[in-house]
């Protein structure tokens, strides 16, 4: 087995099946290089390869490999050839006896051998160290330094790979993307013992390899919190969009024990926006990711607990407690709850679209895919602000952006300032009265059938990238039987619950519901999930703050 030492330093690896020789090589190397390099030794080719796989997954660089020629099962040349696949930049030395000199010379061509050393190498100051010094200098001059981030190996048209990248990006987890078809991607797959049929492969900074991970499992491995620290809180906020983050900031800053529970990633739809330009206090605009990151850091600064990849499946009323049930069977209780789950993009219900989701068809900005659109034509479905913002963002690098709008004109659904920019952009074409009838492609999107709603004529156009913004719907089915909603699923609050000034049936208190309070006392709704809300970032933030004020009022009177 290979020895384990400090992981932070670049590795020099030595392998020899003779324990005495193995220890001697490692001893001499540590004497000279031990302060700056980690020396790892192994006593078989198989053990050394396993050590290299672990180092590869951990992102630990390997500078020099020394291997004995005469080893059973796998000789030194065979080992170095296999090691070349994992660490092609590592310098390679073959340790050999005089009788095997010809084999060492042949190995120069077989495994691109850098040097061979005759045993014994005494004194090392004359025969070992000068050789290793030169090879280390060569390695330092040309080797790419490893980055201590999560690595994702996937395929360009893999829907699951796209989803994992989006999950990491939206949760502010640094990662590096490798195609399964590029050399480094293949090396990582080999190190994890994978053939590339199951993607994505995610390698965490500690070297853990996850194949096709679920979001919750991935969250646990990359340092995101998924389990509440306590069983009972003053306030539970469900949803991490602008309304939820504002509620978490104000709740925690005012002394409430606050936990925010998010199903996917904080920011909501606003967090996916490439540019928000009409938000108060940001005259030059701000990206959704920047705004989300600031709000998240602000919430944690005040002591709010943020949970990710937690799906709430039910709400129960048990006396003064409001109990939220999670999909994994666990639960958390609180005095008050703020529902800020926002809305999710509606799916494009046309033939072919569902099977191509994540493989050319995307909902929301999907900014992680934007770089791949450079120099290509992009189709955007929708005519509201989110579609316009995406069009402006993608037009910076795309060859052409075609905006497909169902309505006869944009002015009915898009803010004036954004409408002017879209119309002035030379690479944006707007097709009004146009709908998508079908999406075509096998491995990925290849074409779209478009129909003009006025003339009825249809045409099929080439397309590899389509972003869809066709409205949104609330995900509130889990509130069935507890919280009242309108026919579209939006949560009813305050005045919308009353009839002729009378509270809703079953309301237990003498007072009517507060403005943002639902039919369940102590349960409030804020932001896009609330019926008749303004559906703007600023109003969502304001409602999140106001909901906390009303929660305080409820607690004071309880």
């Amino acid at each position: 087995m290979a020895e384990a030492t400090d992981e932070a330093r670049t590795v020099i690896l030595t392998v020899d099946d003779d324990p005495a020789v193995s220890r001697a090589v490692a001893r001499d190397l540590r004497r000279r290089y031990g302060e700056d390099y980690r020396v790892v030794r192994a006593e078989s080719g198989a053990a050394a390869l396993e050590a290299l796989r672990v180092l590869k997954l951990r992102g630990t660089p390997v500078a020099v490999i020394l291997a004995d020629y005469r080893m059973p099962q796998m000789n030194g040349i065979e080992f170095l050839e296999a090691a070349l696949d994992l660490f092609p930049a590592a310098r390679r030395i073959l340790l050999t006896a005089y009788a095997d000199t010809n084999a060492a010379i042949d190995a120069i061509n077989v495994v691109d051998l850098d040097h061979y050393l005759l045993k014994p190498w005494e004194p090392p100051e004359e025969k070992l160290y000068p050789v290793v010094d030169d090879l280390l200098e060569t390695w330092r001059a040309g080797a790419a330094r490893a980055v201590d981030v999560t690595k994702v190996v996937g395929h360009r048209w893999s829907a699951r790979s796209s989803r994992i990248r989006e999950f990491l990006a939206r949760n502010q987890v640094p990662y590096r993307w490798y195609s399964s078809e590029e050399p480094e991607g293949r090396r990582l797959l080999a190190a994890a013992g994978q053939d590339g049929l199951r993607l994505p492969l995610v390698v965490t900074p500690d070297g853990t390899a996850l194949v096709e991970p679920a979001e919750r499992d991935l969250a646990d491995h990359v340092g995101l919190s998924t389990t509440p620290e306590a069983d009972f809180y003053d306030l539970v906020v469900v949803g991490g969009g602008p309304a939820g983050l504002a509620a978490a900031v104000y709740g925690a800053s005012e002394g409430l024990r606050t936990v925010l529970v998010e199903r996917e990633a904080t920011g909501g739809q606003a967090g996916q926006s490439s540019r928000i330009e009409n938000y108060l206090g940001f005259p030059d605009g701000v990206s959704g990711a920047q705004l989300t990151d600031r709000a998240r850091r602000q919430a944690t600064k005040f002591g709010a607990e943020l949970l990710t990849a937690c799906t709430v499946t039910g709400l129960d009323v048990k006396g003064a407690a409001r109990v939220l049930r999670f999909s994994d069977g666990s639960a958390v209780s609180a005095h008050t709850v703020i529902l800020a789950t926002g809305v999710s993009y509606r799916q494009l219900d046309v033939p072919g679209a569902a099977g191509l989701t994540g493989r050319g068809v995307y909902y929301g900005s999907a900014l992680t895919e934007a770089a791949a659109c450079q120099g290509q034509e992009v189709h955007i479905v929708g005519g509201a602000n989110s579609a316009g913002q995406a069009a402006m963002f993608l037009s910076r690098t795309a060859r052409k952006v075609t905006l497909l709008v169902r309505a006869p004109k944009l002015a009915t659904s898009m803010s004036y300032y954004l409408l002017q920019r879209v119309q002035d952009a030379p690479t944006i074409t707007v097709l009004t009265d146009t709908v998508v009838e079908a999406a075509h492609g096998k491995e990925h999107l290849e074409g779209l059938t478009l129909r003009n709603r006025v003339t009825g004529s249809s045409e099929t156009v080439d397309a590899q990238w389509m972003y869809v913004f066709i409205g949104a719907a609330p995900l509130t089915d889990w509130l069935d039987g507890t919280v009242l909603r309108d026919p579209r699923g939006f949560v009813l609050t305050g005045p919308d619950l009353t009839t002729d000034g009378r509270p809703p049936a079953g309301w237990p208190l003498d007072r009517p519901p507060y403005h943002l309070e639902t039919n369940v006392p102590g349960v409030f709704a804020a932001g896009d999930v609330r019926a008749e809300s303004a559906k703007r970032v600023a109003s969502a933030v304001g409602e999140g703050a106001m909901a906390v004020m009303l929660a305080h009022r409820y607690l004071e009177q309880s």
Side-chain angles (χ1 to χ4, degrees):
M1 296 295 293
E3 293 181 349
T5 54
D6 176 35
E7 298 177 5
R9 292 177 295 173
T10 300
V11 163
I12 298 174
L13 183 139
T14 175
V15 53
D16 197 305
D17 66 307
D18 185 328
V21 175
S22 177
R23 286 192 293 271
V25 177
R27 178 200 63 216
D28 288 344
L29 290 173
R30 289 193 181 105
R31 184 184 303 160
R32 173 84 168 206
Y33 308 106
E35 290 187 4
D36 300 313
Y37 294 87
R38 172 187 168 198
V39 177
V40 174
R41 72 179 183 90
E43 295 182 1
S44 72
L49 279 179
E50 180 59 28
L52 288 177
R53 291 189 186 99
V54 172
L55 294 170
K56 184 69 178 179
L57 294 175
R58 290 177 177 171
T60 304
V62 176
V64 175
I65 301 173
L66 300 90
D68 182 51
Y69 173 63
R70 287 181 176 260
M71 293 189 296
Q73 285 82 48
M74 180 187 297
N75 67 35
I77 295 176
E78 293 169 336
F79 162 73
L80 289 173
E81 188 172 11
L84 187 65
D85 293 333
L86 293 169
F87 288 95
R91 304 293 93 189
R92 291 165 292 280
I93 301 175
L94 191 68
L95 303 176
T96 182
Y98 180 78
D100 299 318
T101 302
N102 289 336
I105 294 173
D106 292 339
I108 293 175
N109 297 320
V110 174
V111 296
D112 193 21
L113 192 68
D114 293 292
H115 208 282
Y116 68 90
L117 286 175
L118 295 178
K119 298 190 293 186
W121 54 85
E122 298 292 341
E125 288 77 11
E126 295 180 11
K127 298 184 178 181
L128 176 65
Y129 297 152
V131 172
V132 176
D133 284 346
D134 287 344
L135 294 182
L136 285 173
E137 184 177 350
T138 302
W139 180 84
R140 284 193 296 267
R145 285 297 186 264
V147 179
D148 189 26
V149 296
T150 297
K151 306 177 185 69
V152 180
V153 182
H155 191 273
R156 174 185 179 186
W157 299 118
S158 163
R160 184 64 186 157
S161 298
S162 176
R163 183 172 176 82
I164 289 298
R165 293 175 67 189
E166 192 77 5
F167 177 83
L168 293 172
R170 292 187 61 199
N171 281 290
Q172 304 290 310
V173 177
Y175 75 91
R176 176 168 289 182
W177 164 260
Y178 299 94
S179 168
S180 59
E181 299 174 349
E182 67 178 278
E184 185 64 13
R186 291 196 296 269
R187 283 190 283 269
L188 287 167
L189 287 168
Q194 296 296 314
D195 55 12
L197 296 179
R198 297 174 60 203
L199 293 172
L201 167 71
V202 179
V203 182
T204 62
D206 66 358
T208 302
L210 307 172
V211 181
E212 296 181 316
E215 277 85 349
R216 187 177 179 89
D217 189 33
L218 178 59
D220 286 332
H221 281 86
V222 297
L224 299 174
S225 297
T226 60
T227 305
E229 296 177 359
D231 297 325
F232 199 94
Y233 293 84
D234 294 319
L235 171 64
V236 175
V237 181
V238 186
L245 287 168
V249 168
Y250 283 96
S253 66
E254 293 176 16
L256 297 180
R257 291 170 298 167
T258 302
V259 60
L260 182 149
V261 180
E262 168 56 44
R263 183 169 59 95
E264 292 181 349
T266 50
Q269 283 188 308
Q272 295 177 278
S273 176
S274 57
R275 178 65 58 179
I276 301 170
E277 296 191 75
N278 58 352
Y279 186 61
L280 183 67
F282 291 89
D284 298 321
V286 61
S287 74
Q290 290 174 319
L291 190 62
T292 297
D293 180 56
R294 292 177 182 182
R296 180 169 41 212
R297 287 189 283 113
Q298 196 172 14
T300 55
K301 167 191 170 183
F302 288 120
E305 192 179 332
L306 305 186
L307 304 183
T308 306
C310 292
T311 301
V312 182
T313 58
L315 171 64
D316 299 322
V317 178
K318 295 185 178 180
R322 308 295 180 252
V323 182
L324 291 163
R325 290 179 275 111
F326 298 132
S327 58
D328 64 355
S330 62
V332 66
S333 302
H335 290 300
T336 59
V337 173
I338 294 177
L339 305 174
T341 51
V343 290
S344 295
Y345 289 108
R346 286 194 176 96
Q347 304 294 291
L348 186 63
D349 187 17
V350 300
L356 295 172
T357 300
R359 296 186 292 140
V361 177
Y362 304 97
Y363 293 89
S365 295
L367 298 181
T368 54
E369 303 294 338
C373 301
Q374 185 171 354
Q376 302 191 42
E377 182 172 358
V378 179
H379 290 79
I380 297 176
V381 183
N385 280 4
S386 54
Q389 290 162 351
M392 290 302 303
F393 177 76
L394 292 169
S395 68
R396 300 174 189 172
T397 56
R399 176 174 55 85
K400 180 181 179 182
V401 176
T402 301
L403 198 58
L404 307 174
V405 184
R406 182 183 184 88
K409 57 183 180 179
L410 276 177
T412 57
S413 56
M414 188 176 292
S415 296
Y416 178 77
Y417 82 92
L418 188 56
L419 173 63
Q420 296 299 115
R421 293 190 178 187
V422 168
Q423 291 177 335
D424 292 342
T427 55
I428 298 178
T429 299
V430 180
L431 298 181
T432 56
D433 289 311
T434 302
V435 295
V436 177
E437 280 198 324
H440 311 284
K442 294 182 179 180
E443 298 298 321
H444 58 86
L445 179 66
E446 297 174 2
L448 296 171
T449 297
L450 308 179
R451 178 174 61 86
N452 185 286
R453 298 177 66 240
V454 175
T455 66
S457 61
S458 297
E459 66 169 332
T460 299
V461 299
D462 292 335
Q464 283 192 316
W465 305 92
M466 178 173 68
Y467 295 86
V468 182
F469 303 84
I470 54 172
L475 298 176
T476 56
D477 290 347
W478 60 279
L479 294 170
D480 279 349
T482 306
V483 174
L484 295 178
R485 295 164 292 147
D486 70 9
R488 296 180 298 163
F490 291 94
V491 176
L492 296 170
T493 61
D496 293 329
L497 289 166
T498 60
T499 304
D500 296 328
R502 296 191 306 271
W507 179 256
L509 304 180
D510 295 333
R511 63 169 177 81
Y514 294 135
H515 184 68
L516 300 181
E517 196 169 21
T518 70
N519 62 297
V520 179
V523 177
F524 303 85
D528 290 1
V529 74
R530 192 178 66 82
E532 305 304 324
S533 63
K535 308 296 187 288
R536 288 290 186 268
V537 175
S539 62
V541 171
E543 288 190 7
M546 178 187 250
V548 172
M549 180 194 73
L550 296 175
H552 263 296
R553 188 180 300 175
Y554 167 81
L555 290 171
E556 290 169 357
Q557 296 179 358
S558 297

